Structures are given as C-alpha cells and as structure tokens.
Amino acid sequence: MAITIAVVGLGKIAHDQHLPAIAASDDFTLVAAASPEGTAEGVPVFKDIDGLLASGIAFDAIAMCQPPQVRYITAAKAIRAGKHVLLEKPPGATLAEVEGLVRFADEHGTTLFAAWHSRYAPAVEPARAWLAGQQVVSAEMIWKEDVRRWHPGQQWIWQPGGLGVFDPGINGLSILTRIMPDFIHLADGEMEIPSNRAAPIAARMTLADTQGAKITAEFDWRQTGPQSWEISVTTTTGTLLLTRGGSALVIDGVAQPLPERSEYPAVYADFAQLIRTGKSDTDRSPLRLVADAFLRSRHIATAPFMD
Ligand code: NAP
C-alpha cells in the first residue's frame, strides 16, 4: 500500500524535484501540502503545519522543503504528531536542532531521514567502492558556481542559518564524506563574507584524515562561465576524478560506465524503505564540517553582494 505524504515548503526544490518524484513513485501518494504562499496541483494546501495537522487529513509521512532556518519547529511538530519525516539538506540550521529531531523520532518511533540528494548521483557509489580500503595521498574538492544563476533573489541563503556558499557546498561535502575511506575533520579554514551579508560567498577548507592525507576544499559563488562541481582523489594506487556533481567518474584517466540513476527518485525509494523497515538515517557529517567551518575559520570581509 502506498505511503501517504505531505510536502511543506512549496518553493523551487519542491516543484523541481519532490513533487515530480512523488508523482512518479509507486511508494508514495501526495495528499496535502503546506506553504505560506505556494500552490500544489490537486491537493489542499495549508498555510502552515498547524493548519495541515488540524485539517484531519490522514497521512503517514512529510517532506520538509522549506529553508533550513524554519525547518526544526515544523519537523518537531510533525514527529510529535507521529509522522515520518524527510529533511531536505541541510537537515537543520544547527547540529543541535538535528540532534533534537533524532531524539524526538526515537521517542515517537517514527522514521527520520536526513536526505543528502547529491549522494544519489550515479558516480558516488562507484567512487566509494573504488576508494574503499585504499590509502589516500591527497584530495581536492572544487565547488564553484554562480549564485545569481542558481539562487536568483533568494534571501534566506544570505541570512544566519542559510549557510551562504555552503548551501551548495554541503552537497559536495555530502559526497566527500560518503566516498572517503577514512574519517575526515576540518583542520583550518577561511570564509569570505560580503560586508552587507551574514553568510560567506566563498570559503576554503583544509581537512585532515587519520593517515595524514592532504585534503582541501574550495567553494566560491562568484564563478561565471563553466561551473565546477568536482572532487579528485589520489591514492597510493591511482587517481579518481568525480565531475559534474557526481554525474561522471574517471579512474586513472578512463571514463567509467555508470548506472542510470536520478537523485530524487532514489531519495524517495530509500525513504520508503526506511519507513517500511522502521529505521532512520540521520548522518550529520556534512553539516558537522560546515558547522566546524563557522567555528574554526578566519573571517575575511569582502565586497558587498548585490542581487
Ligand atoms: P525556495 O525556492 O526559497 O523555497 C522555499 C519555500 O519554502 C518558499 O517558496 C516558501 O514558500 C517556503 N517557506 C518559507 N518559509 C516557510 C515556512 N515558515 N513554512 C513553510 N514553508 C516556508 O528554496 P529552495 O531552493 O526550494 O530550497 C529549499 C531547501 O531545499 C533548502 O534547504 C535548500 O538547500 C534545499 N535544496 C534546494 C535545491 C535547489 O536547487 N534550489 C536543491 C536541493 C536542495 P512560499 O512560496 O509558500 O512562501
């Protein structure tokens, strides 16, 4: 039987990915939504979670697609109402919010899924499999894109909790933390913050594993022209290059055949599986690296950013 689901936060990602993935899924049936202004075809839309929960519409699960700053309260209410919850990335505006949700979900026996959609890109699992058991010598992540192209007019990304350039950058970190064979942590960092904004437009991280590999990550939202979403890893036996956000993989100079895989249908297949098996998946490692960047980096004031 299909799992009934509601969606909260009818913005870009809900319309581009969540609603189509749910519509195409045999596992889920959309029954309602909640968003201050948004609309969704064919289902009632409430202004907020309170209206949705008070409506009496029965549903099993809920996908949180609103900006991260307003996700925790809504997710907590949904869990307390016994709903299974999918959290868009990042799973919270702070680590403690996510810890709180994990506790609530445990107490209420519901599934909590911190969905890192980029981990479902086709090159990620093959890259992880190739790197398993290998000794990394060095790794470099470059995540550079044009904020005006991908986030036109979005204000929440620049506000506290919006993460700035780490909003896309956390996708790269979600891949990096998935494929690296060893535990990595932030050793040093720099963040460039526009003088009229609260969040970074660029950042650099120096990361360390337990074996002394040299690992760096660079993030920049000022990249016009070709966009760069790449991770390269050199091990004692060869080199791996993951490009286009995890859509392509080259090992020792040879392009690898990859399985057909679309991120959001795979996210929802996993969510269904977690619900049906009574499990949760709440990996916080990408958010922990970003939180540590805010703790451990030098802050450099840079030119004001105008939309
Ligand atoms: P967005 O276009 O700004 O949409 C967010 C929507 O959330 C807004 O349209 C707004 O709905 C709604 N919202 C705002 N406050 C709310 C509240 N208190 N309760 C319920 N809904 C509220 O942002 P987005 O790009 O879709 O990003 C949303 C999340 O998805 C972020 O965490 C982002 O990192 C993640 N994400 C985005 C992308 C992408 O390509 N854009 C990709 C993957 C993941 P109304 O219009 O109804 O006011």
Side-chain angles (χ1 to χ4, degrees):
M1 215 167 75
I3 300 162
T4 47
I5 190 165
V7 170
V8 177
L10 294 167
K12 183 171 185 334
I13 199 60
H15 282 287
D16 286 359
Q17 298 292 346
H18 289 262
L19 297 177
I22 292 167
S25 167
D26 292 333
D27 293 314
F28 290 95
T29 302
L30 183 73
V31 295
S35 204
E37 307 290 339
T39 56
E41 218 170 283
V43 294
V45 180
F46 300 88
K47 290 282 172 213
D48 53 31
I49 183 88
D50 297 323
L52 171 58
L53 292 174
S55 70
I57 295 174
F59 63 98
D60 307 307
I62 187 160
M64 298 289 161
C65 305
Q66 67 280 72
Q69 294 100 328
V70 292
R71 197 170 291 148
Y72 169 78
I73 296 284
T74 310
K77 285 179 179 173
I79 293 169
R80 289 195 180 108
K83 311 302 179 190
H84 306 296
V85 171
L86 181 157
L87 301 167
E88 246 301 351
K89 49 69 38 171
T94 68
L95 281 168
E97 285 185 353
V98 189
E99 295 295 329
L101 296 179
V102 169
R103 285 175 186 232
F104 297 149
D106 278 352
E107 285 163 19
H108 289 81
T110 62
T111 289
L112 182 64
F113 182 27
W116 299 104
H117 66 88
S118 291
R119 287 183 172 175
Y120 294 86
V124 175
E125 288 309 308
R128 175 179 162 90
W130 187 79
L131 285 167
Q134 292 218 46
Q135 185 175 344
V136 172
V137 176
S138 64
E140 187 183 23
M141 186 176 115
I142 308 280
W143 226 256
K144 296 185 178 179
E145 61 176 52
D146 182 353
V147 63
R148 290 187 176 88
R149 178 167 160 195
W150 301 104
H151 297 273
Q154 281 183 347
Q155 294 307 310
W156 61 263
I157 52 174
W158 294 110
Q159 291 159 1
L163 303 189
V165 73
F166 292 119
D167 176 69
I170 204 167
N171 296 332
L173 293 171
S174 75
I175 296 176
L176 191 69
T177 48
R178 178 75 189 157
I179 66 173
M180 290 297 273
D182 194 8
F183 179 80
I184 54 173
H185 75 274
L186 184 88
D188 193 15
E190 266 180 7
M191 298 196 303
E192 290 184 50
I193 303 177
S195 56
N196 61 341
R197 305 283 172 160
I201 194 165
R204 289 167 286 282
M205 288 179 167
T206 302
L207 300 145
D209 69 1
T210 64
Q211 308 282 319
K214 181 176 161 33
I215 307 167
T216 57
E218 280 186 47
F219 310 81
D220 206 315
W221 245 348
R222 298 166 296 198
Q223 172 114 329
T224 52
Q227 309 285 283
S228 310
W229 299 293
E230 298 179 7
I231 297 174
S232 58
V233 185
T234 302
T235 71
T236 48
T237 65
T239 61
L240 173 148
L241 176 63
L242 187 147
T243 58
R244 294 192 278 123
S247 302
L249 183 64
V250 176
I251 293 176
D252 293 333
V254 179
Q256 302 295 303
L258 294 174
E260 282 285 318
R261 201 174 195 210
S262 300
E263 294 180 12
Y264 279 83
V267 163
Y268 275 93
D270 261 15
F271 188 34
Q273 179 70 7
L274 289 168
I275 292 170
R276 293 200 163 113
T277 54
K279 294 187 177 143
S280 286
D281 178 350
T282 58
D283 181 25
R284 276 88 95 191
S285 53
L287 183 60
R288 191 167 57 219
L289 286 174
V290 171
D292 284 355
F294 280 88
L295 281 172
R296 188 72 172 85
S297 296
R298 274 175 300 285
H299 291 198
I300 301 165
T302 191
F305 177 83
M306 307 301 176
D307 282 313

